[in-house]
Amino acid sequence: MARRYWNIHLEEMMEAGIHFGHGTRKWNPRMAPYISAKHKGIHITNLTRTARFLSEACDLVFDAASRGKQFLIVGTKNKAADSVARAAIRARCHYVNKKWLGGMLTNWSTTETRLHKFRDLRTEQKTGRLSRLPKRDAAMLKRQLSRLQTYLGGIKYMTRVPDIVIIVDQQEEYTALRECITLGIPTICLIDTNCDPDLADISIPANDDAIASIRLILNKLVFAIYEGRSSYIRNP
């Protein structure tokens, strides 16, 4: 896999607050190699290492996208949800940004059944069939459709398990990460100073609580995916 230049600068990472970790009492000792200092009771992430791993992640997703691989971006906490949806839509990736339903990947047959139901209900709504049902039945199906839209709206076009999963906040999305590990799906994980860097295939040390930090990391990855997809379209 060839290394490329992804325009990653320490200055913009500092402006986004990527270097701010958690309090010194709330940390995982395995993160020690990725921490450069302590300041006012919090750990400071080594941005040189962050840039290195972010660049490696960009290389990986570019290479995968240029071969037509499919991506899933996961980030369900409030600070990440909007950024995850925007990034995924820009890069034409699948995403989960509300709640991870246990077994979403490891029990794919059940997820597939839910997706078929979701698509059927959307079709019935678009064709006006729901409005022709008795009010009680229509209301029940509309509630079901709304719930499916909330939890499965970002993966409605997913027909198989993804090739690569990008996870925002290892602690919050631990169930999703474990499912990927069980299935052998490569993962790229944004990790703060309270995380385990050994769980993901590529761990990017960064502030997972600041919206600007999350957005910057996702923007770099999404740009690499977009470039890879463009290469795939030119040379399928």
Side-chain angles (χ1 to χ4, degrees):
M1 185 170 63
R3 295 186 64 84
R4 298 171 182 83
Y5 178 70
W6 296 111
N7 203 28
I8 299 169
H9 302 293
L10 298 184
E11 294 81 6
E12 67 174 341
M13 289 197 291
M14 288 191 71
E15 287 178 9
I18 285 179
H19 55 301
F20 293 122
H22 284 286
T24 53
R25 285 186 288 183
K26 186 182 178 183
W27 77 303
N28 188 324
R30 291 186 179 180
M31 286 296 295
Y34 309 97
I35 295 171
S36 61
K38 300 176 185 178
H39 179 68
K40 294 184 178 179
I42 66 169
H43 280 123
I44 303 299
T45 302
N46 185 327
L47 289 182
T48 302
R49 304 208 74 178
T50 300
R52 172 190 157 195
F53 288 114
L54 178 55
S55 179
E56 287 182 8
C58 288
D59 286 338
L60 174 66
V61 298
F62 174 90
D63 185 60
S66 68
R67 290 183 287 116
K69 301 298 184 181
Q70 296 297 307
F71 301 86
L72 173 65
I73 304 177
V74 183
T76 61
K77 65 182 183 182
N78 290 337
K79 290 183 178 179
D82 288 343
S83 297
V84 164
R86 287 197 202 99
I89 290 168
R90 278 210 322 274
R92 301 196 309 278
C93 299
H94 310 295
Y95 68 93
V96 175
N97 72 333
K98 293 300 180 185
K99 180 182 179 181
W100 183 268
L101 303 177
M104 190 174 281
L105 296 181
T106 51
N107 194 2
W108 176 247
S109 59
T110 299
T111 301
E112 208 167 20
T113 300
R114 289 172 177 163
L115 288 172
H116 283 307
K117 179 65 175 177
F118 180 31
R119 295 186 195 113
D120 290 344
L121 286 174
R122 290 179 76 230
T123 301
E124 289 182 9
Q125 184 184 49
K126 288 178 180 177
T127 57
R129 187 180 170 192
L130 287 185
S131 61
R132 295 194 294 270
L133 293 173
K135 285 187 178 180
R136 185 175 178 180
D137 294 342
M140 181 185 70
L141 290 175
K142 284 178 181 177
R143 283 196 300 270
Q144 188 176 0
L145 177 59
S146 177
R147 179 179 173 81
L148 289 170
Q149 175 64 45
T150 298
Y151 298 124
L152 301 180
I155 63 168
K156 57 180 175 283
Y157 300 120
M158 196 159 81
T159 56
R160 57 181 174 83
V161 295
D163 299 297
I164 294 178
V165 177
I166 298 168
I167 295 175
V168 177
D169 192 338
Q170 182 190 96
Q171 298 280 59
E172 188 79 17
E173 315 303 342
Y174 186 72
T175 303
L177 178 59
R178 291 306 310 180
E179 290 191 31
C180 292
I181 292 171
T182 299
L183 295 173
I185 300 172
T187 53
I188 297 168
C189 203
L190 194 158
I191 59 169
D192 214 321
T193 54
N194 62 335
C195 297
D196 184 346
D198 299 328
L199 292 180
D201 292 273
I202 296 182
S203 292
I204 304 171
N207 184 345
D208 63 14
D209 290 318
I211 294 174
S213 172
I214 294 168
R215 188 175 296 150
L216 178 60
I217 298 292
L218 287 178
N219 282 345
K220 298 297 183 185
L221 293 172
V222 159
F223 177 75
I225 292 171
Y226 180 83
E227 290 293 297
R229 289 202 195 284
S230 299
S231 172
Y232 175 69
I233 291 169
R234 290 193 299 267
N235 306 290

